């Protein structure tokens, strides 16, 4: 898809953060601006832009977006948008970052506590936690999902970093591919 056809909805910019009531739709989470944007047929990926402390997940509405994308959309709409972790180094979920950056993000994800996420209006937090409870989902479940995405990202980065090395070794005859059914391994060695 050409980049000029891409579109983004960034909640921090799309919602007036000083008059947020309009985005919450009178207490109906499913009619909130957050849910409406995620429910759009053109929404194929949800990106979490992370700083080194994972500050976004200290906000309950960011936890709601993860919950809506990973639990409600698949159950209610039959759609599962990709959830991507992004930081200043790149799109970690695509393997596009340094190994050091991904390791730092993975370590940071272990420190997140969505149970302690806050909201400007306490009733929003109560409403979101109740919606999660109705779907048998806890903040800990979401945290585990983030850890899983972080681990997958780290593996993709490792793979991207090793692929050129393995290719070069194969070309130099310093390695061979061992096929064991559907499993392919590269054996290194300089005999």
């Amino acid at each position: 898809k050409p980049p000029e056809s891409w579109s983004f909805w960034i909640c921090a910019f799309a919602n007036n953060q000083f008059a947020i009531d309009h985005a919450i739709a009178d207490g109906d989470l499913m009619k909130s601006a957050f849910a409406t944007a995620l429910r759009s047929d053109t929404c194929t990926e949800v990106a979490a832009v992370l700083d080194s402390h994972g500050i976004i997940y200290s906000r309950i509405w960011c936890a709601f977006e993860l919950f809506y994308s990973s639990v409600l959309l698949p159950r209610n709409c039959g759609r599962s948008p990709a959830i991507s972790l992004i930081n200043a180094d790149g799109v970690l979920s695509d393997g596009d970052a340094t190994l050091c950056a991904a390791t730092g993000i993975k370590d940071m994800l272990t420190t997140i506590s969505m149970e302690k996420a806050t909201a400007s209006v306490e009733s929003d937090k109560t409403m979101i936690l109740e919606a999660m409870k109705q779907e048998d989902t806890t903040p800990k479940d979401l945290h585990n999902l983030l850890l899983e995405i972080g681990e997958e990202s780290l593996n993709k980065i490792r793979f991207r970093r090793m692929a050129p090395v393995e290719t070069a070794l194969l070309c130099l005859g310093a390695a061979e591919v061992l096929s064991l059914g559907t499993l392919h391994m590269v054996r290194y060695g300089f005999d």
Side-chain angles (χ1 to χ4, degrees):
K1 204 170 172 182
E4 57 273 1
S5 70
W6 299 351
S7 60
F8 298 90
W9 185 82
I10 302 170
C11 66
F13 302 130
N15 291 321
N16 180 343
Q17 300 298 308
F18 299 100
I20 200 72
D21 291 345
H22 73 281
I24 299 174
D26 298 322
D28 185 346
L29 285 175
M30 301 316 140
K31 292 181 182 175
S32 68
F34 305 96
T36 301
L38 293 168
R39 199 169 43 249
S40 168
D41 290 337
T42 59
C43 179
T44 60
E45 188 168 2
V46 176
V49 181
L50 301 170
D51 66 353
S52 61
H53 302 291
I55 293 298
I56 67 167
Y57 290 115
S58 69
R59 304 289 303 151
I60 197 67
W61 279 103
C62 294
F64 172 75
E65 290 171 352
L66 179 62
F67 164 68
Y68 195 87
S69 301
S70 64
V71 176
L72 291 179
L73 273 177
R75 287 184 188 167
N76 299 339
C77 301
R79 292 185 32 250
S80 297
I83 299 170
S84 296
L85 302 180
I86 299 172
N87 74 357
D89 292 303
V91 182
L92 284 75
S93 302
D94 289 346
D96 182 31
T98 65
L99 192 55
C100 182
T103 302
I105 290 294
K106 185 175 176 255
D107 291 345
M108 174 274 297
L109 290 174
T110 64
T111 68
I112 289 176
S113 176
M114 285 191 228
E115 293 90 352
K116 297 178 184 174
T118 61
S120 301
V121 178
E122 192 60 30
S123 61
D124 288 355
K125 180 177 179 175
T126 302
M127 179 175 50
I128 290 168
L129 291 175
E130 184 57 35
M132 288 179 185
K133 185 178 177 183
Q134 288 175 5
E135 296 293 329
D136 294 322
T137 303
T138 66
K140 183 71 175 160
D141 295 331
L142 297 178
H143 181 236
N144 289 337
L145 173 63
L146 278 179
L147 291 174
E148 183 180 308
I149 295 169
E151 185 64 35
E152 288 172 6
S153 300
L154 190 56
N155 288 335
K156 286 180 183 178
I157 289 167
R158 285 183 183 130
F159 178 78
R160 282 187 77 177
R161 298 295 176 255
M162 285 304 300
V165 172
E166 289 178 350
T167 301
L169 289 172
L170 287 169
C171 290
L172 293 171
E176 62 181 305
V177 176
L178 304 173
S179 293
L180 307 169
T182 59
L183 176 65
H184 303 286
M185 298 172 57
V186 177
R187 185 174 73 188
Y188 306 101
F190 293 94
D191 296 331

